[in-house]
Amino acid sequence: ALGCDEEAEAGGASEEPLVTSERFVFFAPHGSRDADAHAMYADEQTMLPHLRPMFGMSRDAASARRAAQRQSLAARSPSQCLLDIVCRASGAFVGTTGFRALRPGASGEWGAIVRARWRRRGVCGEALDASARLLRERFGGREVTAVTLATNAPMLSFLAGSGFERTGEFENEWGRQVEWRLALRGAAAGEAARVDAGLARYVGPFLGENLLHRVVELRRKISLSEAPAVRAFLRSHFA
């Protein structure tokens, strides 16, 4: 199911979202959801194996982390913009997303943590789209970047399917990391990119690589059919 059918878990404080999507609202990391965030960090199914650095942090450490995120958002020129993902229908805490590093007027390093029970429901797609709109419209950003473990196959596939360009690799204490970038375009182009990202997530034995692969091939054939030489041939043989 794609709806928000979980029992409400998040705090009920009256807040204004920073950005919204079809099924979710994205709030600043309010203290009423600190306990939910701590429970997420402690959940093996959510955090392991790819988010090990944050797995099992203490309640005090989780609260301090979120307090720093709130403080950054309140600054005149934020250095990061992390958001809570909350289900519109139930108020359930779904996860977190946003920019771990933010350069207003330039770029933001995007990421997301989605609770295990919400995986494979398109949450990351809506989170990326909402975050990119926020970066472009509120902070004047022109580019989304991302860094993920080379072993994190689901996120590697998601980023590639969402239009990110692979730009490099490096090694740190957590292993081989892959760097990505996505240039932000105008609203119409951004909507087209969002649609393509959605198509890329539909895979199956009759689609080739994915549905986007078939759509791109169809677009190419339609484009070829509009070429003057092809139109002249069609007129001469089938008019």
Side-chain angles (χ1 to χ4, degrees), residues 98-142:
F99 301 101
R100 295 175 287 220
L102 180 65
R103 295 170 56 217
S107 64
E109 183 186 325
W110 180 81
I113 304 175
V114 177
R115 299 175 84 174
R117 73 183 70 172
W118 289 88
R119 298 271 173 84
R120 304 183 68 84
R121 289 173 149 193
V123 176
C124 271
E126 286 190 47
L128 173 59
D129 182 54
S131 298
R133 282 190 285 113
L134 183 67
L135 179 65
R136 183 176 57 235
E137 296 169 8
R138 179 164 178 159
F139 299 109
R142 302 185 299 272

Side-chain angles (χ1 to χ4, degrees), residues 74-184:
R76 183 181 299 273
S77 182
S79 60
Q80 57 180 202
C81 178
L82 280 301
L83 309 172
D84 290 344
I85 310 171
V86 175
C87 173
R88 279 182 182 271
S90 70
F93 176 78
V94 176
T96 60
T97 191
F99 301 101
R100 295 175 287 220
L102 180 65
R103 295 170 56 217
S107 64
E109 183 186 325
W110 180 81
I113 304 175
V114 177
R115 299 175 84 174
R117 73 183 70 172
W118 289 88
R119 298 271 173 84
R120 304 183 68 84
R121 289 173 149 193
V123 176
C124 271
E126 286 190 47
L128 173 59
D129 182 54
S131 298
R133 282 190 285 113
L134 183 67
L135 179 65
R136 183 176 57 235
E137 296 169 8
R138 179 164 178 159
F139 299 109
R142 302 185 299 272
E143 180 179 275
V144 178
T145 63
V147 177
T148 191
L149 280 168
T151 55
N152 190 347
M155 183 56 75
L156 294 174
S157 176
F158 171 78
L159 293 171
S162 297
F164 279 77
E165 173 190 2
R166 190 167 177 157
T167 58
E169 296 186 8
F170 65 92
E171 191 94 24
N172 65 11
E173 65 269 32
W174 307 114
R176 176 70 61 180
Q177 305 282 343
V178 182
E179 299 173 294
W180 303 80
R181 68 178 291 275
L182 175 68
L184 297 181

Side-chain angles (χ1 to χ4, degrees), residues 1-57:
L2 292 178
C4 298
D5 52 1
E6 318 291 0
E7 182 180 351
E9 302 169 0
S14 177
E15 308 167 75
E16 285 296 322
L18 275 74
V19 67
T20 64
S21 69
E22 181 181 355
R23 294 177 297 155
F24 306 108
V25 285
F26 300 82
F27 293 109
H30 197 276
S32 63
R33 290 183 293 275
D34 282 1
D36 294 301
H38 176 255
M40 179 178 71
Y41 296 145
D43 180 39
E44 290 188 19
Q45 286 187 298
T46 297
M47 304 301 291
L48 298 182
H50 305 303
L51 299 169
R52 189 174 297 277
M54 288 180 286
F55 172 62
M57 71 171 68

Side-chain angles (χ1 to χ4, degrees), residues 192-216:
R194 187 189 69 79
V195 171
D196 282 359
L199 293 174
R201 289 193 285 275
Y202 287 92
V203 297
F206 304 108
L207 296 176
E209 295 179 5
N210 52 44
L211 184 55
L212 178 60
H213 171 79
R214 284 296 182 92
V215 171
V216 169

